[in-house]
Amino acid sequence: MFNLPIPPLPIPGTGLTTPVTLPVGTVVAFAGNIASSPSDPPSDYTTNIEALGWLLCDGTPREVSKYPELFAVLGYLYGGEDGKFNLPDYQGLFLRGVNGKTGRDPDVSNRTPSQNGTKDGVGSQQEDALQIHQHSYQLVSETTGGAENKAAMLVESATNFTTNPLNSEARTSQETRPKNVYVYYIIKYSYG
């Protein structure tokens, strides 16, 4: 019931009478569970995406002869050889539009190209980072009490700073990230 392909439909009001489909190589987010292999029988809560013309973006090698339309789009951009090419691997990553000539990615020169791509092209990757920034702090002025009094004031200042409610509620982790939700990224491999 959940694994029947839905034929593409004409877009109402456009005058198009032929079905409109997404181009091979299109990547979309998929919010359902995916069957672990094409031979797995579908269940009520898994989808055999390959039967619908899609593959998981998991970096696996695929045979050129079985997926010629997708190979025509990707080639060896993500690696491969000897009649096999690799799918893109988007697991655990956020997707970002190619910079082009916009200048919106100030670190484009530090990107890592895909196996057979360029730094400023599709498939290049970037490590996580924090934007360079500064913090301003109020210095404790010297008083007549000498070095011991100054040290005590620094400790008091640091203690008062760390109990500031704006700082005590920050979430910390191993990475910098926005709020997010897991999805599968899948890629269209066929027009059929």
Side-chain angles (χ1 to χ4, degrees):
M1 170 167 114
F2 292 99
N3 291 301
L4 299 175
I6 300 171
L9 303 173
I11 299 174
T14 63
L16 297 174
T17 56
T18 57
V20 176
T21 62
L22 296 172
V24 167
T26 296
V27 172
V28 298
F30 184 75
N33 286 317
I34 295 176
S36 58
S37 81
S39 60
D40 284 351
S43 73
D44 288 344
Y45 302 106
T46 63
T47 302
N48 182 342
I49 60 167
E50 191 166 348
L52 301 173
W54 296 84
L55 296 169
L56 182 63
C57 293
D58 62 359
T60 57
R62 297 294 172 143
E63 293 181 29
V64 172
S65 61
K66 284 184 72 176
Y67 304 95
E69 293 169 305
L70 185 57
F71 179 73
V73 172
L74 298 180
Y76 295 110
L77 182 63
Y78 298 96
E81 62 184 355
D82 297 330
K84 290 189 176 187
F85 68 102
N86 292 354
L87 297 175
D89 186 356
Y90 296 153
Q91 298 172 112
L93 298 173
F94 293 97
L95 300 186
R96 179 178 189 167
V98 171
N99 184 57
K101 296 179 182 177
T102 66
R104 292 185 183 131
D105 183 354
D107 293 325
V108 69
S109 63
N110 295 326
R111 297 181 69 82
T112 303
S114 63
Q115 189 164 351
N116 292 306
T118 62
K119 287 184 176 190
D120 61 350
V122 170
S124 66
Q125 291 190 30
Q126 213 170 31
E127 290 299 316
D128 53 352
L130 288 172
Q131 185 177 12
I132 297 170
H133 62 284
Q134 295 181 22
H135 296 271
S136 298
Y137 299 97
Q138 184 177 6
L139 294 176
V140 177
S141 62
E142 286 197 40
T143 63
T144 58
E148 289 179 8
N149 191 24
K150 185 175 181 181
M153 289 178 64
L154 287 171
V155 169
E156 181 182 341
S157 176
T159 304
N160 290 336
F161 179 76
T162 58
T163 58
N164 183 331
L166 293 175
N167 294 322
S168 64
E169 295 179 23
R171 286 181 288 277
T172 60
S173 183
Q174 300 296 312
E175 64 180 359
T176 300
R177 62 175 176 266
K179 290 182 180 179
N180 64 83
V181 63
Y182 273 170
V183 293
Y184 287 106
Y185 287 120
I186 59 176
I187 188 166
K188 187 165 179 59
Y189 74 83
S190 172
Y191 287 108

